[in-house]
Amino acid sequence: MCRMARPRKPLLSTDRIVAGAGALVDAEGLAAVSTRRLAAELGVSGPSLYNHFRTKDEILEAVADATSAQVDLSMFDEGDGRDWRTALHDWAVAYRAVLTRHPNIVPVLAQGPGRRPAGLRLADAVFGAMVAAGWPPAQATRIGALMRYFIMGSALGSFARGFVDDEAAYDPANYPHLGQAHLLAERQEKIDEGAFETGLRALLDGLALQYEALRAEGPKG
């Protein structure tokens, strides 16, 4: 009679570590991640993680890069056909959607791409598309920075969730214009998405005016 083989634990891999760390960050935040805690979640010994990552910070960097890799960049493809403004709009919406699914990793992402491959591909795609559209390289750099500030800032917190669901907290004697503020929290998604779209369109309107002025000036000799 053949003995049934015991089920083997999944082999530890870089991808499995990053996925486990990402799930932990999503569920409990950056502070919850330690090599000991992560090893326990993965069912392995702590030292085994060091075969793949030297430090906790390296793991978080990898989680951040895996998050960047989820952002759609197809609108910047050479044959896509979208103009620079539409491409920036669609990319910003796609980027924010990823960050709203993984808000706890945003502080790491906000430090910049560093050496992260996916983060650098993202920066390269935006910069390259702006230069190809006719923006001077210096201005294309500023546009990339501006978009990153705006998108990540919107993902760092919720305006609507900052108000409590308690009408008594907004005494009209003290706050005559906040009579409906207690309703904001329950309408969080609609308010926050609407605010993002309003700000994004205003930002792009301003860039479009600059672009028209730039085109009117023509090439500088």
Side-chain angles (χ1 to χ4, degrees):
M1 180 182 294
C2 295
R3 305 179 81 182
M4 292 184 63
R6 292 182 180 179
R8 296 178 60 189
K9 291 183 179 179
L11 292 175
L12 192 61
S13 66
T14 297
D15 288 345
R16 186 169 172 239
I17 293 170
V18 172
L24 197 53
V25 170
D26 286 344
E28 301 183 35
L30 295 171
V33 180
S34 68
T35 52
R36 179 180 296 181
R37 173 73 186 280
L38 183 55
E41 293 286 333
L42 296 173
V44 299
S45 63
S48 63
L49 297 179
Y50 296 114
N51 293 324
H52 301 271
F53 295 97
R54 292 176 297 177
T55 64
K56 165 188 166 179
D57 287 342
E58 282 192 1
I59 296 173
L60 292 177
E61 285 285 306
V63 172
D65 207 44
T67 304
S68 294
Q70 297 176 36
V71 180
D72 181 16
L73 299 176
S74 63
M75 64 286 297
F76 298 125
D77 291 346
E78 188 173 341
D80 180 80
R82 277 173 271 196
D83 60 40
W84 68 267
R85 176 181 171 143
T86 304
L88 274 184
H89 174 277
D90 294 349
W91 167 69
V93 171
Y95 200 173
R96 181 179 180 273
V98 170
L99 297 186
T100 55
R101 293 197 298 270
H102 308 286
N104 292 335
I105 198 63
V106 173
V108 180
L109 285 166
Q111 296 171 12
R115 297 177 182 271
R116 301 180 211 128
L120 290 172
R121 283 193 294 272
L122 188 154
D124 180 75
V126 176
F127 178 80
M130 294 306 99
V131 171
W135 287 99
Q139 188 66 355
T141 299
R142 297 186 192 106
I143 290 171
L146 170 64
M147 296 299 291
R148 191 168 72 87
Y149 298 152
F150 178 69
I151 297 165
M152 290 198 178
S154 74
L156 280 172
S158 164
F159 172 82
R161 198 169 58 235
F163 294 84
V164 297
D165 183 15
D166 179 5
E167 188 173 2
Y170 307 103
D171 187 335
N174 296 320
Y175 316 108
H177 306 296
L178 296 182
Q180 301 296 305
H182 64 288
L183 301 175
L184 294 178
E186 68 181 41
R187 302 171 184 174
Q188 173 194 334
E189 184 175 348
K190 183 176 182 180
I191 291 170
D192 290 345
E193 288 186 359
F196 179 78
E197 186 64 31
T198 298
L200 179 59
R201 290 188 180 278
L203 187 156
L204 294 174
D205 284 346
L207 287 177
L209 290 174
Q210 292 184 37
Y211 187 74
E212 290 172 7
L214 185 71
R215 302 278 290 201
E217 289 177 5
K220 295 182 180 180

